[in-house]
Amino acid sequence: MTSPLLLPYDGPHLTLPNRIAMAPMTRGRADDVTGVPHPLTAEYYAQRAAAGLIVTEGIWPTVLGKGGPGIPGLVTDAQVDGWHAVTEGVHAAGGTIFAQLWHVGRMTHPLNLPDGAAPVAPSPVRIEGEPIYTNQGNLAHVTPRAMTTAEAEATIADFAAEARNAVRAGFDGVEVHGANGYLIQQFLAENTNRRTDRFGGSRAGRLRFALDVVEAVAAEIGPGRVGLRISPHNPENEIAEEDPQGTYRALVDAVDPLGLAYLHVIERGAYGALADLRPRWSGTLIGNFNGTEPTSQRAGEQVLAAGLADLFSYGRLFISNPDLPARFATGAPLNAHVPGLVYGGDAEGYTDYPALGDRVGSAVRSLS
Ligand SMILES: Cc1cc2nc3c(=O)[nH]c(=O)nc-3n(C[C@H](O)[C@H](O)[C@H](O)COP(=O)(O)O)c2cc1C
């Protein structure tokens, strides 16, 4: 029986050869000064173009949203040109690619920002636990500076401008990163949003920034080219959501009528987001699990078979298996990724994982 992951998908805005998405993954290889993607980034994504849909690593809309060394931007002409080479490579290989729009909010450090600027966030709530990675190693977080209302509005405009640049760079669409404890989720969560202006104060206030970003981006490039990623109840990066069901039902109910390309839901925590939100979302839904081990083929198949999502995204398996759909189709063995080579560096651990047809790949196959 054909795996449900390998069936073609014909949705309202997406026509894809299979239901396997490549999940967004930061690789820290951009030029740290210019924010231009690494010259090998085009090859890296082109190697993975057999994914039904590629979502890029997070890309900043303003340098204040940059989370660490080697994270790319999509603001300057040089950055747009760098990404243009990436989209050309993926399109030449027959793929579809969305750019992830990512502002980290408080999840950064003055050493990662120009002129030692303080990180900005909805409220001055410092991360107490895990340190943050900088070019001087792991350091304790500083207390972020609360955005003024005008700064929040300017940041929404930055997201819209980034979406426009993404289209200039040839992307098929963009994904707004509303997950994993970064800026947008910092506005959504009770513990990180203590504002009293229109971007806080009540559930509707906490939702306002996310909704304004999505609406501004959709107005800029058309809703059919916009996805939204969320991770309800994900405690990562010291997020504490008191009422995930109330928050995310309200968010999804407000976003659904916009007619976006998709909703991308990371299932994590006790809430059971996919089952709860699926009936409320009328468009394409992408599922993702975020556990300690890379998610298995079987787990994605079960989600699709249960009707909880239309597509399923894989992260870590795509780091080390550029031809993941072919491996799922044939049951070929999977390469494991080398954890020390995930972030930063050059080709090693980036573009040198073998596909099945490659010399090393054939050797693996003949052994199996
Ligand atoms: C190295 C790495 C970098 C990641 N970077 C991002 C990112 O930039 N944006 C994002 O939304 N999620 C990011 N994630 C989360 C993945 O998109 C995905 O949710 C997670 O890896 C779980 O899927 P998996 O079990 O298939 O790996 C990252 C994960 C990894 C392993």
Side-chain angles (χ1 to χ4, degrees), residues 197-213:
D197 66 357
R198 71 185 192 93
F199 293 108
S202 61
R203 178 190 293 153
R206 285 184 288 102
L207 294 178
R208 176 55 37 215
F209 187 81
L211 292 174
D212 281 4
V213 169

Side-chain angles (χ1 to χ4, degrees), residues 100-353:
Q100 194 188 46
L101 315 186
W102 181 35
H103 190 306
V104 298
R106 67 175 183 163
M107 281 299 301
T108 188
H109 188 278
L111 286 173
N112 296 332
L113 300 177
D115 307 321
V120 292
S123 302
V125 182
R126 189 171 81 98
I127 300 249
E128 303 289 338
E130 290 285 302
I132 179 88
Y133 185 67
T134 74
N135 54 18
Q136 293 179 24
N138 284 327
L139 296 175
H141 281 266
V142 302
T143 302
R145 186 173 64 75
M147 286 179 165
T148 62
T149 304
E151 280 174 313
E153 284 162 355
T155 306
I156 291 161
D158 289 336
F159 274 101
E162 184 178 17
R164 191 168 56 241
N165 281 340
V167 171
R168 275 175 64 207
F171 282 103
D172 299 296
V174 302
E175 176 176 286
V176 173
H177 190 345
N180 299 347
Y182 297 105
L183 182 66
I184 289 176
Q185 196 171 11
Q186 291 160 28
F187 272 96
L188 291 171
E190 290 87 342
N191 72 318
T192 43
N193 184 344
R194 300 181 183 164
R195 300 178 71 92
T196 52
D197 66 357
R198 71 185 192 93
F199 293 108
S202 61
R203 178 190 293 153
R206 285 184 288 102
L207 294 178
R208 176 55 37 215
F209 187 81
L211 292 174
D212 281 4
V213 169
V214 170
E215 283 172 11
V217 167
E220 192 68 45
I221 63 169
R225 292 201 278 198
V226 181
L228 171 65
R229 190 171 215 215
I230 55 174
S231 59
H233 217 196
N234 182 355
E236 216 173 302
N237 298 328
E238 291 187 15
I239 289 291
E241 292 179 321
E242 289 163 22
D243 177 22
Q245 189 180 76
T247 297
Y248 287 94
R249 283 185 172 184
L251 180 67
V252 166
D253 289 350
V255 175
D256 188 56
L258 300 178
L260 299 191
Y262 63 81
L263 179 69
H264 192 172
V265 177
I266 304 173
E267 180 98 327
R268 173 131 178 203
Y271 157 44
L274 279 173
D276 192 51
L277 299 177
R278 172 72 190 201
R280 311 179 87 86
W281 183 253
S282 58
T284 298
L285 201 148
I286 309 179
N288 178 263
F289 286 164
N290 194 359
T292 43
E293 294 299 318
T295 308
S296 68
Q297 175 176 359
R298 179 102 189 92
E301 287 171 346
Q302 284 172 339
V303 167
L304 296 195
L308 292 175
D310 303 296
L311 314 174
F312 196 85
S313 70
Y314 288 91
R316 287 161 288 185
L317 289 184
F318 262 115
I319 292 180
S320 46
N321 298 281
D323 54 349
L324 190 62
R327 290 176 194 257
F328 281 176
T330 58
L334 298 174
N335 305 316
H337 74 273
V338 182
L341 298 176
V342 169
Y343 298 109
D346 292 302
E348 203 188 359
Y350 193 47
T351 48
D352 64 351
Y353 287 107

